[in-house]
Amino acid sequence: METHLPWPAPTASGPLNAALRLPGSKSMTARALVLGAVSHGASTLRAPLRARDTELMAAGLRAMGCHVSTADDNLWLLRSRPLEGPARVDVGLAGTVLRFLPPVAGLATGAVSFDGQPAARRRPMAPLIGALRTLGARIDTANGLPFTVHGHGRIAGGPVTMDASASSQLVSGLLLSAAGYDRGMVLRHVGAPVPRPHVALTVHMLRSAGAGVDDTRPDVWAVEPGRLKGRAWDIEPDLASAAPFLAAALVAGGTVTVQGWPAATNQPTRRLLDVLRQMGGEAAVTARGLVVRGSGAVHGVSADLSGLADVSAVLAAVAALADSPSHLRGQEPPDRLAQVASALSGLGTDVTQEADGLRIRPRPLRGGTLRTHGDRRLAHAGAVLGLAVAGLRLDDVACTAKTLPEFPRLWSSMVSSYEGGPADAEARVRRG
């Protein structure tokens, strides 16, 4: 079993004054890789995210015959080729690889086998596998990893119904490949509401690649069959990676700027900034980037975090440092809510897990070791708490490499960029 040394979370000695340039969005990088593989012609990804999940995605596409060059950190190149097996795809712990590549494998010729880490084997796959079988794919499995997709170069497509309540990635995975199906696809979701932001990003990128997509009916997506075209993708910074840095401004006070933030985006930026404002921050998208200012005073909040699952642990950490209780609602899986609740209560917070989220009543916090369970979201939350809680350690900061390998260095650089220190101190990602 892999072991990690505990990481002492830096404590802020004063208000921050930091400007960061973060790598690209994992969500956009993953979708652009898949679209490049199923499109005709060449595609490029400018400023992509090089991290554990995106490397696994690139490796899976290479295994099926797609040319993927990632030699240049700033510019990745894809050239579509006929996809084929036999091939083996390691999904690791990457949900995007697990849910985006099986529909691609159905378009390949030959057998493509999938497996991953033990935790990935526990992830629900029955809805996606059932939908692919309805659409015409042949899959050998008992509805979970490991499994093999036996492709014959085409999928019939057509109408399909699926319960995607477990993850919006189930919807996105089918949509990304659906234009290559003989009859396209009309996907109907039944079940609890699916968070919209990531599906909206998928639809936007599909249209940008030339797909005809109708999403005007609630919980129904129709993708017309047709040839997608390779194109150049400019990958935006990732909101989930930016969230702990932005939250740091509220907890420690001062200003944190994420540089290079686009004026228009499909990421749920406005919703996150609205919550940060309610908690006491000033937040805006400016010419300098995504900027949050705080006084060090944090207020409790009652907020619906549906669609903000990747940042809810960070917001729960901020709530634990507030001057009044918070009620954070959303659609997090119960086991993840339990992990967040356990992490906060272990440091002294009064936390109650409810069916719709967490009730957090702040108490004086103490140092100790926060268990991340290998989840970078909990690691981000622990780092935020460490700004105000001396003696706090993370049992595994290496799990942040899943989406942001530079996190420990960037975080330490930000904490040292205090007001009164070097003006506009910058923590930059080195490239190339």
Side-chain angles (χ1 to χ4, degrees):
M1 177 182 295
E2 187 177 8
T3 59
H4 304 278
L5 293 175
W7 182 70
T11 302
S13 59
L16 305 176
N17 180 26
L20 316 167
R21 188 171 295 277
L22 298 178
S25 160
K26 183 189 80 166
S27 297
M28 288 191 70
T29 301
R31 285 160 175 77
L33 284 170
V34 173
L35 289 171
V38 299
S39 297
H40 292 261
S43 295
T44 57
L45 282 66
R46 185 174 300 279
L49 171 68
R50 182 186 291 277
R52 191 177 302 155
D53 283 17
T54 56
E55 292 276 21
L56 286 169
M57 182 73 79
L61 293 171
R62 286 192 199 101
M64 287 186 276
C66 181
H67 173 83
V68 186
S69 172
T70 60
D72 184 336
D73 282 348
N74 283 307
L75 190 67
W76 291 2
L77 173 66
L78 285 83
R79 292 191 181 93
S80 59
R81 296 174 177 171
L83 302 176
E84 59 185 10
R88 298 180 63 85
V89 175
D90 175 14
V91 309
L93 280 174
T96 49
V97 180
L98 177 62
R99 292 157 180 149
F100 290 5
L101 290 194
V104 176
L107 295 171
T109 301
V112 181
S113 60
F114 291 80
D115 203 357
Q117 295 185 23
R121 293 182 177 183
R122 296 192 291 271
R123 291 186 173 178
M125 285 296 290
L128 180 62
I129 289 169
L132 284 170
R133 285 171 170 160
T134 298
L135 293 166
R138 178 188 161 206
I139 306 175
D140 291 341
T141 182
N143 286 333
L145 287 173
F147 60 82
T148 300
V149 179
H150 297 274
H152 48 86
R154 60 190 299 180
I155 288 181
V160 63
T161 299
M162 175 176 67
D163 182 352
S165 304
S167 173
S168 65
Q169 290 177 353
L170 298 169
V171 174
S172 290
L174 287 173
L175 293 178
L176 288 167
S177 294
Y181 301 165
D182 292 351
R183 293 189 290 152
M185 182 184 70
V186 178
L187 171 62
R188 181 182 301 275
H189 160 67
V190 294
V194 172
R196 305 293 297 187
H198 286 95
V199 177
L201 174 63
T202 301
V203 170
H204 172 75
M205 293 183 70
L206 271 168
R207 288 172 175 155
S208 298
V213 185
D214 180 356
D215 62 346
T216 56
R217 291 174 288 172
D219 294 326
V220 178
W221 299 267
V223 182
E224 299 175 2
R227 175 173 293 190
L228 303 185
K229 298 178 181 179
R231 53 157 291 166
W233 298 98
D234 290 321
I235 308 300
E236 303 171 1
D238 186 60
L239 185 63
S241 295
F245 297 95
L246 300 173
L250 269 70
V251 172
T255 303
V256 175
T257 301
V258 176
Q259 298 174 325
W261 199 263
T265 177
N266 282 282
Q267 298 185 73
T269 306
R270 177 178 295 179
R271 295 201 58 222
L272 174 61
L273 297 188
D274 283 346
V275 176
L276 293 177
R277 291 187 191 104
Q278 292 173 49
M279 301 185 91
E282 299 177 24
V285 178
T286 72
R288 294 182 59 210
L290 189 56
V291 183
V292 173
R293 296 182 179 89
S295 65
V298 180
H299 309 312
V301 66
S302 178
D304 182 355
L305 305 186
S306 298
L308 291 173
D310 280 347
V311 304
S312 60
V314 163
L315 293 174
V318 177
L321 300 169
D323 56 13
S324 58
S326 293
H327 183 198
L328 303 181
R329 307 178 304 282
Q331 294 177 319
E332 285 274 26
D335 57 343
R336 189 179 299 162
L337 284 175
Q339 289 175 352
V340 175
S342 174
L344 295 179
S345 62
L347 300 175
T349 304
D350 181 1
V351 185
T352 303
Q353 181 178 350
E354 300 181 344
D356 67 342
L358 298 175
R359 288 192 181 273
I360 299 172
R361 290 165 289 275
R363 299 285 186 271
L365 300 184
R366 56 183 177 270
T369 300
L370 185 147
R371 293 186 60 200
T372 66
H373 302 277
D375 189 329
R376 86 275 186 193
R377 289 163 288 221
L378 279 172
H380 291 166
V384 169
L385 289 167
L387 294 169
V389 181
L392 191 151
R393 301 174 300 277
L394 306 185
D395 71 338
D396 174 18
V397 76
C399 63
T400 58
K402 182 178 174 69
T403 56
L404 184 56
E406 301 89 349
F407 178 79
R409 177 178 65 80
L410 286 169
W411 191 261
S412 296
S413 297
M414 176 197 68
V415 176
S416 67
S417 302
Y418 55 91
E419 284 188 355
D424 293 321
E426 295 185 356
R428 295 183 181 274
V429 175
R430 291 192 181 95
R431 294 187 180 278

